Amino acid sequence: MNYSIPIIAVFRELTPLPTFRTLILALTLAGLCHNALALEAINPDDEVDLPRDLSQVHFYLLTIDVGDRIWDNFGHTALRVVDENSNTDMVFNWGLFDTSVGLVRFSTDFFLGIMNYQLGTSSPEAELNLYRQQQRSVWQDRINLNNAQKERLYRRLLWNLQTENRVYSYEYFDDNCTTRVRDYLDEALMGKIQGHATDMTNWTYRDAVVDHYRSLAPIAMSLDILMNSGIDRYMTEWEAMFLPLVLRRELMEIPSDVAVDGERRMLLSPGEMLLTFPAPATQPNAYYFAAGALWLPVILLFPLVRRVPIASLSAQSRYTLRSPRFSFRVMGMAGLITSLFSGTYGLMMLGGWFFSGHNDLYHNVNLLLFWPTDVLGVVVSLRWLVMAKPWPMSHNTAPFINWYLLAHVLGMVIYAVVAIFGLAAQALLNPLLFIVPGFFLYTVLIWMTGFQLGRTRAMFA
């Protein structure tokens, strides 16, 4: 069988992921497990059609820079194989996935942890045209392997091209387009890469996620909130190679088993830039905007709080706001934003815990801050906005509302204690600094002025 036959095997049509601007995708992108990938053993005595002269087969590492969309902010890695025996030149790409099942089914499967990716092949021209359209830089580095190493890598690629082996279960940190290349090269080198990359880094998985989403600041903040302590451990050098640019950097430091004119070469020869584009622009930290959205109503409305003497026959609340047409509409707008912000995150964290297959979405301490039931605050906020009046409470509903708001305040206090004294393994500094103070004061503000005890029929006035 000629080398070109498996290389040009026909793949079913795979469509690129559309621009999903939803937090549900951001949440699933954070579904991270930390299991070592065990490669299925390949019998070196199995008969396969190898190239006539392995010295005429050349392997190149393709490293693609980060993009500015949700799914390409970590970059990409591919393997280019040039066979001068058969004059073939193809790129192996482990980053293909099928969205032909539709947006809803694809997003649901992604959320549940059903992420089936697969190997595809294409010409270098097709690959580069894609990255040229996306305006992403591409590096190409020759991988210096001896013939025995080339044969092991070549056999692995032929195995992977078989129909039953093309599809794999994607795991964001441990089994993706980059770790496939890392693991296949490590297998070809008999464990040399893993043996080299044993030291700990000073970077956690959370650091990597937040840093790589600097060009999409709202996504960076969302993932920081939605991910639990599972990503707060420090990475080894081996683990950090799930990042394409880190893999390239680490491979550059490893000597090869190939020598030319008595001089031993490094595993990667000095590469070339196939495409050059500026990196995506960094956006301001989204936590700043979240903090501003919480502090603005507090700053505007607290000076308008006034104490009202309670008449003997009056059901009027103890505190109210001056300029009610202005103040309650400000409270209503802030309430809509806060209710959707807190309730959406709460629903996603709770749903991820009970229904997702991603372990890093479970037991999130941020559930102390963001409650799924806060979405009900949209109804209350709309009344403040439209009617510019406090929400009327009956004697039956008043205890529930008071206890709910008290529990929210206590939850924030507990959260602050846990964060300040390091009682949880999860990184909580950003929510503590940017979310808790404004959220706490806004909750106290609406508790004091946003509700009024009165007759039940007043709710429909």
Side-chain angles (χ1 to χ4, degrees), residues 243-306:
L243 297 167
L245 294 177
V246 174
L247 173 65
R248 180 174 184 262
R249 185 186 68 218
E250 291 289 340
L251 294 183
M252 284 182 169
E253 298 178 357
I254 300 176
S256 74
D257 295 322
V258 176
V260 176
D261 297 330
E263 182 179 352
R264 191 177 185 185
R265 292 188 171 182
M266 302 301 290
L267 185 58
L268 295 186
S269 288
E272 58 179 322
M273 291 285 296
L274 301 183
L275 295 174
T276 305
F277 292 98
T282 299
Q283 294 180 347
N285 191 336
Y287 275 109
Y288 298 155
F289 297 98
L294 290 168
W295 274 102
L296 182 60
V298 170
I299 294 172
L300 289 176
L301 298 181
F302 255 112
L304 299 178
V305 175
R306 67 188 181 96

Side-chain angles (χ1 to χ4, degrees), residues 169-436:
S169 181
Y170 181 90
E171 293 179 3
Y172 204 69
F173 281 160
D174 300 304
D175 197 357
N176 60 23
C177 60
T178 300
T179 61
R180 285 266 154 172
V181 175
R182 177 200 67 183
D183 294 342
Y184 289 179
L185 285 176
D186 189 58
E187 179 185 45
L189 293 167
M190 305 292 285
K192 187 174 184 178
I193 298 174
Q194 190 166 10
H196 171 83
T198 57
D199 292 339
M200 296 297 298
T201 71
N202 59 356
W203 233 26
T204 67
Y205 288 98
R206 186 182 300 276
D207 294 331
V209 169
V210 173
D211 181 75
H212 279 76
Y213 277 101
R214 289 179 298 172
S215 62
L216 288 174
I219 300 301
M221 182 185 71
S222 297
L223 294 178
D224 187 48
I225 291 172
L226 295 170
M227 296 185 295
N228 64 19
S229 61
I231 58 144
D232 285 313
R233 66 182 181 86
Y234 289 96
M235 297 180 286
T236 65
E237 292 174 332
W238 171 260
E239 291 169 330
M241 282 190 275
F242 85 94
L243 297 167
L245 294 177
V246 174
L247 173 65
R248 180 174 184 262
R249 185 186 68 218
E250 291 289 340
L251 294 183
M252 284 182 169
E253 298 178 357
I254 300 176
S256 74
D257 295 322
V258 176
V260 176
D261 297 330
E263 182 179 352
R264 191 177 185 185
R265 292 188 171 182
M266 302 301 290
L267 185 58
L268 295 186
S269 288
E272 58 179 322
M273 291 285 296
L274 301 183
L275 295 174
T276 305
F277 292 98
T282 299
Q283 294 180 347
N285 191 336
Y287 275 109
Y288 298 155
F289 297 98
L294 290 168
W295 274 102
L296 182 60
V298 170
I299 294 172
L300 289 176
L301 298 181
F302 255 112
L304 299 178
V305 175
R306 67 188 181 96
R307 182 174 180 175
V308 178
I310 300 178
S312 58
L313 298 178
S314 173
Q316 195 173 18
S317 60
R318 186 177 183 84
Y319 292 94
T320 187
L321 291 168
R322 299 182 180 90
S323 307
R325 293 180 65 84
F326 166 78
S327 56
F328 279 103
R329 286 191 168 95
V330 171
M331 183 182 291
M333 286 297 299
L336 285 174
I337 296 172
T338 304
S339 299
L340 290 173
F341 182 80
S342 179
T344 299
Y345 283 138
L347 285 170
M348 294 177 72
M349 284 186 282
L350 193 64
W353 193 346
F354 284 98
F355 301 109
S356 177
H358 304 304
N359 294 334
D360 293 318
L361 303 180
Y362 303 166
H363 54 75
N364 195 316
V365 180
N366 287 323
L367 276 167
L368 284 171
L369 290 184
F370 306 107
W371 293 10
T373 49
D374 284 351
V375 294
L376 299 175
V378 170
V379 178
V380 180
S381 301
L382 285 173
R383 191 181 194 280
W384 290 335
L385 184 63
V386 173
M387 304 197 67
K389 295 180 180 179
W391 178 271
M393 299 185 296
S394 70
H395 288 284
N396 292 326
T397 60
F400 170 78
I401 292 173
N402 286 324
W403 279 110
Y404 185 87
L405 293 172
L406 175 61
H408 234 319
V409 168
L410 291 177
M412 294 181 211
V413 172
I414 294 171
Y415 185 94
V417 171
V418 170
I420 292 171
F421 292 98
L423 302 180
Q426 184 174 336
L428 305 175
L429 182 61
N430 283 328
L432 175 67
L433 294 179
F434 295 103
I435 303 297
V436 172

